[in-house]
Amino acid sequence: MTDRKRMHSIPDLEAKGRKRLVLIVEDDFVNREILKINMQQEYEIICAETGCEAREKIHAHSDTLSLILLDLNLPDLNGLDLLRELKQDMDLSKIPVIVLTADTESEVESLTSGASDFIPKPYPRQEIIMARARRCIELSENRDLIRWTERDHLTGLFNRDYFDRYAEQYDHYHRNDPTDALVLDISHFRMMNERFGKAYCDEVLRRIGAELFTFVKENGGIACRWEADTFQIYCPHREDYPALAARVAAAASGPDEGRVHIRIGVNPNVDKSGDMERRFDRAKSAADMIRSSLTESVAYYNDDLRQKELDAGQLLDDFRGALAEEQFLVYYQPKYNIQGPKPVLCGAEALVRWKHPERGMVSPGTFIPLFEHNGLIRELDNYVWRKAALQIRRWKDQLGCSVPVSVNVSRIDMLDPDLTETLCGLIKDNRLDFSDLHLEITESAYTEDSKQIKDIVAGLRNQGFKIEMDDFGSGYSSLNMIITLPIDLLKLDMGFIRSAFSESGDTGMLKIMMDIAHHLSVPMIAEGVETKEQMLTLKDLGCDIVQGYYFSKPVPAEEFEEFMRQEEK
Ligand code: C2E
Ligand code: CA
Ligand code: CA
């Protein structure tokens, strides 16, 4: 039963003038009847005489039960055990329980086991019983209302706003206890969504929620669903996280054993002087280390990551100065058309390099993701595009010719409302043709907000820019989607080349990708081609254009001119 169902039941009941439902669990006939008579004016009553019957009825009416009156001495089981069982269950634990007992010793134990109240035997006056029942229901309904706002409605765990608040509160009461921050998510969740559908994946998330609920119930701490398939847990320090990952994966997979793979990033023994967000960012960077691994399930934040974080911070600080001092260089890597008898130079990709005064050449693999993360990439890309446009102009002027240059357009650039204007401005200011500049847009950009992105790309294409879909095959776009996309060239993700030509690889996948390109009547570019054998295989498969170390690494503009001169010979 979710909070939603329960919450709906309260106003519904009032609107319909229906009575709230109360379960009396009592084996003694006389006692049962006394309670029933006492309460039936105000409540709808159902009864159970044994623990098993009670369990059945609780499950059958879990959505609508407002209160359980529970005798501790039942013929088949101890009422306290049943109580504990209910309190371990995320859904059933919300139903308030009043314990009925003649034994004053059990009162404390009942309360610590999760009972809301107790009524001693022999029973007190009717008004007392009624007052206790009423108060209990009222408190629980108020609590339900609060739950409704502080919970994620799919999983019943806290939502992110309240999680932060409760995590601070948790700290307050556990100031000196070693505490771990965890980020947990599902590997390849997007792909699962595509393959198995939303309803199935919602069920998986719900199961994870229930398992995490049990985990924190047993071990202390708090848990929330942060967003989509990401969960956060803040709990007492422990060592056995692989076991937790296995346990959550098993629960999430349910009958489809092994289907769901869980990753956990752990920031162990958090530094409580830093802010909460930071503690979980660190757990997240740990989780990111095993992003694509299907064998590892737990990663820890460690000194290496700490150093990386510091380095990243340094690069961010250095960015503005570096841009002003022109420390960023644009290199060019040739693209060759290989379909004729002899490879023909047909273009170049502009790739940025950072000549850092202290660190030497920094690879874009290091700084691009960083700048994408905080939006600086827009400034950098604008700079690279301008340099590339100037370079094309210079080649035209000095050599009397040029080749189309493709520039990378990051996902973040697509959100810039001035994007089209900026790019068109470069063409105009440098007196270029639109076909001189190709735009490489990574496949994953399309999958995020496809309608908006599609419209922007279509607009650029209508202007006359040629659009290349970069890293094709690395995202999750379906064939249906690709057919509708405004693109002129597909640029195969390098991963396909790597795996096709690895020791145990075969070219089956390559062939499929080529077939897709042919089906769409769009030329295919393969990048990362390092050997003659790879080039010839691709040629046989019908690949049109090749880029890679086999022909050349990315080189400075002056060196690139050599390739153009050679063509002329
Ligand atoms: P990408 O767009 O997929 O670029 C191809 C990468 O493969 C380049 O790495 C290139 O140097 C490398 N490469 C080319 N041929 C071979 C080969 O035969 N073997 C191997 N192993 N690698 C090869 P690079 O220059 O380090 O760039 C990495 C990524 O950084 C690029 O991937 C692109 O996503 C991004 N990037 C580079 N420059 C820019 C830029 O100006 N703007 C934006 N937004 N992203 C950029
Ligand atoms: Ca690219
Ligand atoms: Ca690529």
Side-chain angles (χ1 to χ4, degrees), residues 349 408 440 470-472 491-494 527:
E349 176 175 8
N408 288 285
E440 292 195 9
D470 204 355
D471 308 323
F472 173 56
K491 195 166 184 189
L492 189 63
D493 186 59
M494 220 183 299
E527 66 181 329

Side-chain angles (χ1 to χ4, degrees), residues 17 105 335:
E105 293 284 289
K335 295 177 176 181

Side-chain angles (χ1 to χ4, degrees), residues 1 3 6 21-23 54-55 57-69 83 86-87 89-98 113-116 136-137 140-141 143-144 147:
M1 174 184 54
D3 275 357
R6 219 172 138 64
L21 184 66
V22 174
L23 171 67
R55 196 185 278 136
K57 292 202 165 154
I58 293 167
H59 280 278
H61 298 277
S62 62
D63 285 3
T64 48
L65 259 184
S66 288
L67 178 66
I68 300 169
L69 298 180
L83 176 62
L86 295 181
K87 294 299 160 188
D89 184 299
M90 174 150 72
D91 293 332
L92 303 179
S93 67
K94 293 168 207 152
I95 309 171
V97 177
I98 296 181
S113 303
S116 302
C136 215
I137 292 175
S140 132
E141 288 180 358
R143 193 199 49 202
D144 277 359
R147 283 186 106 94

Side-chain angles (χ1 to χ4, degrees), residues 121-190:
K121 291 182 189 180
Y123 294 138
R125 282 180 296 131
Q126 184 193 8
E127 301 86 90
I128 295 181
I129 296 180
M130 290 306 284
R132 290 200 152 171
R134 234 177 263 136
R135 195 189 59 143
C136 215
I137 292 175
E138 207 173 271
L139 282 175
S140 132
E141 288 180 358
N142 285 343
R143 193 199 49 202
D144 277 359
L145 269 172
I146 296 170
R147 283 186 106 94
W148 177 242
T149 53
E150 67 182 23
R151 299 280 160 163
D152 162 56
H153 299 155
L154 181 68
T155 61
L157 297 178
F158 288 128
N159 57 37
R160 59 197 282 174
D161 294 341
Y162 279 85
F163 177 79
D164 276 348
R165 202 176 293 187
Y166 286 125
E168 304 279 356
Q169 214 174 72
Y170 182 90
D171 264 356
H172 188 77
Y173 294 109
H174 300 83
R175 214 177 282 284
N176 299 317
D177 302 347
T179 309
D180 299 343
L182 272 56
V183 168
L184 178 152
D185 69 1
I186 303 176
S187 311
H188 304 293
F189 184 66
R190 284 229 309 242

